[in-house]
Amino acid sequence: MIKNICCIGAGYVGGPTMAVIAQKCPHIKVTVVDLNEKRISAWNDKDVNNIPIYEPGLSNVVAEARGRNLFFSTEVDKAIDEADMIFISVNTPTKTYGVGKGMAADLKYIELCARQIARVSKTDKIVVEKSTLPVRTAQAIKDILEHTGNGVNFQILSNPEFLAEGTAIEDLFAPDRVLIGGDVTLEGQKAIQALVDIYANWVPKDRILTTNVWSSELSKLTANAFLAQRVSSINALSELCEKTGADVNEVARAIGMDSRIGSKFLKSSVGFGGSCFQKDILNLVYIAKSYGLNEVADYWEQVIIMNDHQKRRFAKNIIKTLYNTVSGKKIAFLGWAFKKDTNDTRESAAIYVADDLLSEQATIAVFDPKVEEDQIQFDLNYLETRSEEANNKGVQVASSAYDACKNAHAIAVLTEWDEFKTYDWQKIYDNMLKPAFVFDGRNILDKQALEKIGFVYQGIGSR
Ligand code: NAD
Ligand code: UGA
């Protein structure tokens, strides 16, 4: 029976997943380690509201388990040494250099973990891939671990995470399924069972699915590709709706009621963001190409092409509607996070829309309830389109939506935060330049009510 878990990587996945395992399994000691000292000290902050990740319900879980059987530390070697099961939850971003640049997953952090585990381990361990990895990565990890020559036995499992940010705790408490892939050998099956036993503390057995390692690795990329493909499909139709007078919300509702299609993930938007959809599809495209499967690669690449188009056309439409110039105009951004209920901004559509508008010399005033000013500047600087000074000058970060919208020519809604729907829109209108435009990139505001006030309203996928 597993008594001691170590998780390498205290990010959006490692933090919440381990907090939940610790809460649900008080008999297991869970230590989450990271190289990032600032992140670890934030996880250890006395005030549980200061933990580094905003996720509804997470602070309560951390408050209950931290110091009891949940620990956050930078002592990676010590935690590896003590553990009988090690989760690898480090980041696997798109490569920015060399072969596969812009497509393949960068596995350098994974390999570093494997080498560190190999170096430190003195007793047998089960190593669990929690990070999203290209199919057949387990082979590489195995090669590294098996060549240590110190007689330690390792079993490698794939246990991809399916939580979505903003609903991570809900998703972890009641997952649609938990997927565990392992070797078909007796030892492999024993390792699978050890992990099944952990989840079985709160997940019904029929929701715990076991497969071979390669199916598990590939299922994770496939799940994200299918989800993102639905968003790109509805977004593709949104443009046709705008031309024809059909309303994409009505179309989504009509098709979603077909139980074969289903109603989820059909919300047309300014484009999907987040750290994984794009990265994982690019990775899938790269893998398909590496096997010479060009049609397969092209098929999935189109999901990304459509998403890029959706972000660009949202910015273009703002410029066109504001009489073909936004130079010197103030545009208020409501929301910067890639979706509501998270402070994560990775690959958020807002970044790309802002970048296009800044290139047209607009001034942008951003308000997001959970994103810090530094992060907004960091996101824009990361693109390297213009100097840091220029980004600083072009973007103001407001402490309220009312401030952001004051004297603005237009408002762009980039994140679907619930609070935006509760604002005093008359007050916002009164303080804006006229005509006052709203470009609702999330279709969350009440078009009729806004038009009644006097706004010129444009949603996505309807006239
Ligand atoms: P993240 O960047 O938030 O966290 C990764 C952490 O790993 C960082 O804090 C980093 O400092 C740490 N790290 C990197 N190398 C390390 C090393 N050698 N030793 C110790 N710490 C190290 O990333 P994330 O969003 O948590 O994603 C992690 C993985 O999970 C990725 O593969 C991602 O695709 C996958 N995933 C993410 C989500 C999500 O919602 N974010 C959901 C499912 C799966
Ligand atoms: C997604 C998956 O939903 C998770 O199952 C997966 O574990 C995770 O990726 C991952 O591997 O990282 P996440 O990116 O956190 O989760 O959030 P989603 O809810 O999937 O939203 C992704 C993007 O798509 C957001 O920008 C969201 O606004 C957008 N979206 C989503 C739409 O535009 N329309 C929709 O109908 C749904």
Side-chain angles (χ1 to χ4, degrees), residues 8 11-13 34 39 91-92 131-132 161 165 279 346:
I8 311 180
Y12 283 86
V13 166
D34 205 294
R39 215 167 201 183
N91 38 331
T92 50
S131 299
T132 302
E161 185 48 60
E165 289 176 30
K279 152 178 97 67
R346 290 178 288 182

Side-chain angles (χ1 to χ4, degrees), residues 25 35 69 278 455:
C25 311
L35 298 172
N69 64 327
Q278 173 164 306
F455 282 104

Side-chain angles (χ1 to χ4, degrees), residues 13 20 60 170 225 278 280 291 320 327 350 363 394 397 434 436 441 444:
V13 166
V20 168
N60 291 340
E170 259 173 68
Q278 173 164 306
D280 293 347
Y291 287 104
K320 191 175 128 223
S327 179
T363 303
V397 178
K434 309 295 175 325
I444 54 164

Side-chain angles (χ1 to χ4, degrees), residues 157-220:
L157 299 178
S158 160
N159 172 222
E161 185 48 60
F162 295 103
L163 69 80
E165 289 176 30
T167 54
I169 297 302
E170 259 173 68
D171 296 341
L172 289 165
F173 279 179
D176 284 350
R177 79 312 205 178
V178 166
L179 178 59
I180 303 173
D183 275 357
V184 286
T185 58
L186 190 64
E187 286 305 305
Q189 296 301 304
K190 267 197 202 157
I192 290 179
Q193 193 54 46
L195 188 51
V196 168
D197 289 345
I198 291 174
Y199 284 110
N201 282 293
W202 78 99
V203 179
K205 282 243 167 70
D206 59 356
R207 297 206 168 203
I208 306 176
L209 198 67
T210 60
T211 64
N212 78 32
V213 191
W214 319 125
S215 305
S216 174
E217 288 180 337
L218 187 56
S219 295
K220 174 61 197 177

Side-chain angles (χ1 to χ4, degrees), residues 8-15 33-36 39 53 76 88-93 108-110 112-113 116 130-133 160-165 220 224 275-276 279-280 338 344 346:
I8 311 180
Y12 283 86
V13 166
V33 292
D34 205 294
L35 298 172
N36 184 335
R39 215 167 201 183
I53 287 168
V76 185
I88 303 182
S89 298
V90 301
N91 38 331
T92 50
K108 72 177 168 201
Y109 306 109
I110 296 287
L112 281 171
C113 288
Q116 193 162 5
K130 185 50 112 178
S131 299
T132 302
L133 297 170
E161 185 48 60
F162 295 103
L163 69 80
E165 289 176 30
K220 174 61 197 177
N224 274 357
S275 60
C276 293
K279 152 178 97 67
D280 293 347
F338 81 97
D344 194 350
R346 290 178 288 182

